[in-house]
């Protein structure tokens, strides 16, 4: 691997957490990718916003509930999580419906801060535009 | 220019692998380089040698293997995705106590780090699939 190359990685999550495997296998890429010390950002839009819903329970469908893993992202230095406002609105959701995702800011005496930022569709377009490598799941 | 290719869907159900194949061919014919083709999600099903399509249809798996042989392509199946879907090479088969392997020659199984690395090294990562 080329030493010292840092790129803007953007993981775009557009699908519901269950029904297909994309959300789970996207999260697996994010966790592995965290070891590569790149500038990582996660975007949640369309049905992808459901991935961050509070109180997920998969006992009824017999699939693995991987929602708690999102809470560990802060420990992997993955703390730039963008959620599209229009996608929330269209689904009758607000930020309060999402799991609190936090990280400890080493530049601010390890203060606990929210990793989630609600952005507009236009801002999301800018995020995508400014990325070097985009994974779309 | 250096291209890395990611394929997220299996053969025949989706056209993703066909499109990726044609794109990869065009990239090479255009004088560019394809540094890696990474198969993820159901895309790992593009790498089983047991695939047997009707004779009057294209052979998606063999076609990839031939293109790889002619151009020294690096075809990588994600290990975690492959394990979930029953795609194994001899090592993986043994490690997991299975009685067979099914990987097509020309493909190899490796980790997701190979996908991240491909994204870092290539000028463009092009993703095929839903």
């Amino acid at each position: 691997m080329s030493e010292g190359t840092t790129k803007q990685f953007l993981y775009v999550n557009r699908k519901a957490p269950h029904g297909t495997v994309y959300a789970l296998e996207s999260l697996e890429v994010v966790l592995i990718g965290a070891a590569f010390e790149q500038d990582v950002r996660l975007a949640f839009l369309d049905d992808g916003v459901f991935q961050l819903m509070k109180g997920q329970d998969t006992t009824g469908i017999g699939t693995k509930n991987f929602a708690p893993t999102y809470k560990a992202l802060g420990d992997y230095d993955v703390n730039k999580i963008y959620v599209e406002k229009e996608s929330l609105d269209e689904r009758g959701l607000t930020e309060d419906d999402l799991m609190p995702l936090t990280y400890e800011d080493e530049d601010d005496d390890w203060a606990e801060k929210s990793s989630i930022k609600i952005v507009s569709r236009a801002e999301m377009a800018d995020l995508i535009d400014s990325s070097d490598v985009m994974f779309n799941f | 220019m250096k291209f890395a290719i990611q394929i997220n869907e299996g053969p025949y159900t989706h056209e993703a692998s066909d499109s990726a194949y044609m794109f990869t061919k065009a990239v090479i014919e255009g004088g560019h380089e394809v540094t890696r083709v990474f198969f993820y999600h159901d895309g790992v099903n593009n790498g089983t040698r047991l695939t047997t399509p009707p004779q009057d249809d294209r052979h998606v798996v063999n076609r990839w293997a031939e293109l790889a042989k002619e151009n020294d392509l690096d075809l990588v199946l994600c290990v975690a995705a492959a394990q979930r879907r029953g795609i194994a090479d001899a090592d993986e088969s043994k490690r997991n106590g299975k009685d067979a392997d099914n990987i097509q020659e020309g493909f190899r199984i490796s980790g997701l780090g190979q996908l991240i690395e491909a994204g870092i090294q290539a000028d463009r990562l092009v993703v095929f699939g839903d």
Side-chain angles (χ1 to χ4, degrees), chain A residues 41-56:
Chain A
R41 301 181 295 191
L42 267 58
F44 292 86
L45 56 148
D46 299 345
D47 278 349
V49 297
F50 287 120
Q51 293 180 29
L52 301 183
M53 285 277 286
K54 258 182 207 162
Q56 294 182 43

Side-chain angles (χ1 to χ4, degrees), chain A residues 14 38 41 51 69-71 76 111 123 127 130 133 135:
Chain A
R14 295 176 42 240
Q38 301 294 304
R41 301 181 295 191
Q51 293 180 29
T69 312
Y70 293 101
K71 293 187 181 172
Y76 285 82
E123 288 171 307
L127 264 178
S130 65
V133 181
F135 293 105

Side-chain angles (χ1 to χ4, degrees), chain A residues 1-2 5 7 9 11 15 21-22 24-25 28-29 32-33 36 38 133-137, chain B residues 6 8-9 40-41 80-81 84-85 112-113 115-117 119-123 125 127 130:
Chain A
M1 183 169 71
S2 32
T5 310
K7 288 189 172 180
F9 273 64
Y11 295 89
K15 295 187 170 69
V21 80
Y22 297 101
L24 169 61
E25 287 191 333
E28 290 184 351
V29 181
I32 297 283
F36 283 74
Q38 301 294 304
V133 181
M134 193 172 90
F135 293 105
N136 201 354
F137 293 107
Chain B
Q6 182 185 341
N8 290 337
E9 301 296 342
Y40 196 43
H41 303 305
R84 282 199 179 100
R85 294 164 179 86
L112 277 167
L115 173 62
I116 306 293
E117 188 187 74
I120 296 170
Q121 289 175 342
D123 299 306
L125 172 76
V127 185
D130 274 3

Side-chain angles (χ1 to χ4, degrees), chain B residues 1-117:
Chain B
M1 193 177 268
K2 288 182 180 174
F3 286 85
I5 310 291
Q6 182 185 341
I7 299 170
N8 290 337
E9 301 296 342
Y12 303 104
T13 305
H14 287 254
E15 206 177 316
S17 183
D18 297 273
S19 305
Y21 172 80
M22 287 172 209
F23 182 81
T24 301
K25 248 181 110 169
V27 165
I28 295 166
E29 284 163 8
H32 302 286
E33 187 188 349
V34 174
T35 57
R36 182 165 293 150
V37 182
F38 192 89
F39 297 84
Y40 196 43
H41 303 305
D42 278 357
V44 297
N45 290 307
N46 286 286
T48 163
R49 67 170 184 270
L50 300 183
T51 303
T52 316
Q55 284 195 351
D56 60 354
D57 199 356
R58 72 224 186 276
H59 198 306
V60 173
V61 177
N62 289 358
R63 207 166 58 170
W64 272 117
E66 284 155 20
L67 190 67
K69 201 171 176 187
E70 288 160 15
N71 300 282
D72 202 20
L73 286 179
D74 189 18
L75 307 180
V76 181
L77 308 178
C78 168
V79 61
Q83 283 175 339
R84 282 199 179 100
R85 294 164 179 86
I87 309 291
D89 59 14
D91 284 350
E92 275 299 307
S93 176
K94 199 174 163 196
R95 196 188 346 269
N96 297 303
K98 304 296 180 184
D99 61 1
D101 67 78
N102 58 350
I103 194 170
Q104 166 68 38
E105 193 184 334
F107 290 78
R108 67 187 179 96
I109 292 180
S110 190
L112 277 167
Q114 299 272 305
L115 173 62
I116 306 293
E117 188 187 74

